Amino acid sequence: MQIIYDIPYIVHNIELTNNCIMKCVMCPRTASMTRPKGFMPENVFETVIEQYTKDNKNIPSHVWLHHFGESLLHPKVADYVQYMQKRGVKAGISINPVALSPQKAEELLRANPHILYLSIDGFNEATFSSIRGVQGAWEQTRENTLHFLKMKSRQKSTTKAVISAINFPQFPDLVRLSRKFWSSQPGVDDFLEKPFTDFNGDVQEITALHNAVPYTRCTKPWTCITVAWDGRVLPCCFDYDAQYVLGDVNHASLKDIFNGEPMQKLREQFINKNVTCTLCVNCVHGGKWSRSCGN
């Protein structure tokens, strides 16, 4: 059964790298990622952006320049942001501020991304190290963030700076204390409280941290794609280990991949409410939702 979705696709994420400096307890990358690590080559990045702008005359939103890694580790992150801006694609990035050195801050502000999430899960050394899995990084995270915000204010940058924090059940005061401090800092445009997610639900240690996640219906097979650092295209931003590969931009166009056979099969499973895809089977947006339909 051919299930063609004949509207422009959305590139939700472009993974600049899957290397990371953190060992977060809530991230499946920390202990479960098995795919090779690397950095997105310039020709692959440009191919994705050029195809995306060709296939979509009106880009509906910004594109996130991250997936399962720290984008600031990519030596060309600022160049890639500028490349996107020149082609009318807004760039969004979520970063760990411990990697936001003064030099990186200056480079980013010159590149002028549309939105920047500064991910800060903690309000002191004890909470931060417990969540992020790295000792002694809290003070540098705080210092780098404050320095960046001062630079942003001084330069009157239009980049939207958002402090984001996950609502951890184990730390009920985390969001309240973080919001109180960071929302009062000049240069902060918004504070985002992010719900805890177990991603695609296949890492027991992460799922056990928070099980009370409601079932929702997934629309990703009909709307968007994620591009890994090596050019492989994935159906979902939860696919940390490239479990379900739709295609490769080194060998096929994004448009053809979006309606290729792997995506067709995935759409058919969702329509028939019989999701068996290994990526989706334990996900509350996919397989678990499909199994709950009769209840």
Side-chain angles (χ1 to χ4, degrees):
M1 177 169 59
Q2 285 255 319
I3 307 169
I4 301 292
Y5 203 49
D6 194 23
I7 67 169
Y9 55 88
I10 295 171
V11 174
H12 184 57
N13 296 71
I14 300 175
E15 182 182 65
L16 300 190
T17 181
N18 61 341
N19 287 282
C20 192
I21 52 181
M22 294 296 184
K23 299 177 181 178
C24 303
V25 296
M26 69 288 190
C27 182
R29 181 203 173 282
T30 299
S32 300
M33 180 181 288
T34 62
R35 62 186 170 106
K37 298 179 180 65
F39 297 88
M40 179 170 279
E42 189 170 359
N43 67 307
V44 174
F45 181 81
E46 291 180 357
T47 294
V48 172
I49 297 302
E50 293 303 320
Q51 289 186 12
Y52 192 34
T53 53
K54 177 184 177 183
D55 295 338
N56 297 265
K57 301 305 179 185
N58 298 302
I59 305 298
S61 182
H62 53 269
V63 176
W64 292 111
L65 291 183
H66 62 264
H67 183 41
F68 280 92
E70 175 50 66
S71 297
L72 291 181
L73 297 180
H74 198 296
K76 287 184 171 290
V77 57
D79 294 337
Y80 286 5
V81 170
Q82 289 181 320
Y83 188 88
M84 292 173 65
Q85 308 289 55
K86 290 178 181 178
R87 283 151 184 79
V89 183
K90 296 177 181 178
I93 320 177
S94 181
I95 62 167
N96 292 299
V98 71
L100 189 59
S101 66
Q103 180 181 346
K104 282 290 185 182
E106 184 66 44
E107 291 174 0
L108 269 187
L109 287 171
R110 280 202 304 266
N112 193 36
H114 174 66
I115 187 168
L116 186 68
Y117 280 9
L118 298 113
S119 185
I120 305 177
D121 294 307
F123 53 87
N124 55 27
E125 171 61 27
T127 52
F128 190 84
S129 60
S130 176
I131 293 169
R132 291 293 181 170
V134 175
Q135 300 292 324
W138 164 248
E139 285 301 328
Q140 192 65 58
T141 294
R142 186 177 181 276
E143 181 181 323
N144 285 354
T145 305
L146 291 171
H147 178 78
F148 171 82
L149 293 172
K150 288 179 182 177
M151 289 180 64
K152 174 181 177 288
S153 298
R154 187 168 61 247
Q155 296 181 18
K156 295 181 172 57
S157 169
T158 59
T159 294
K160 184 177 181 180
V162 179
I163 303 294
S164 68
I166 297 173
N167 189 353
F168 280 87
Q170 299 90 331
F171 302 106
D173 292 330
L174 189 154
V175 168
R176 178 181 62 82
L177 292 172
S178 294
R179 186 191 299 274
K180 181 179 179 180
F181 177 78
W182 290 110
S183 295
S184 66
Q185 300 302 314
V188 173
D189 296 295
D190 202 357
F191 182 93
L192 176 66
E193 176 183 343
K194 298 173 69 175
F196 185 92
T197 177
D198 59 1
F199 295 95
N200 65 329
D202 70 348
V203 180
Q204 186 176 357
E205 293 83 358
I206 295 175
T207 304
L209 292 173
H210 186 44
N211 250 331
V213 182
Y215 292 157
T216 58
R217 185 171 183 173
C218 183
T219 59
K220 287 182 172 58
W222 285 269
T223 55
C224 60
I225 52 179
T226 288
V227 184
W229 71 265
D230 56 2
R232 288 184 293 174
V233 180
L234 315 172
C236 176
C237 58
F238 288 170
D239 193 356
Y240 65 90
D241 214 23
Q243 296 181 48
Y244 194 83
V245 178
L246 301 174
D248 190 326
V249 295
N250 294 291
H251 307 294
S253 71
L254 289 175
K255 189 172 184 179
D256 288 343
I257 292 170
F258 183 65
N259 276 313
E261 185 178 351
M263 188 69 104
Q264 296 284 350
K265 289 181 178 179
L266 192 59
R267 290 173 186 158
E268 185 175 354
Q269 289 182 24
F270 273 79
I271 287 174
N272 294 334
K273 299 183 179 64
N274 182 30
V275 178
T276 59
C277 169
T278 54
L279 169 66
C280 307
V281 70
N282 291 314
C283 180
V284 296
H285 299 273
K288 285 186 178 180
W289 173 84
S290 72
R291 295 197 297 275
S292 72
C293 290
N295 298 328

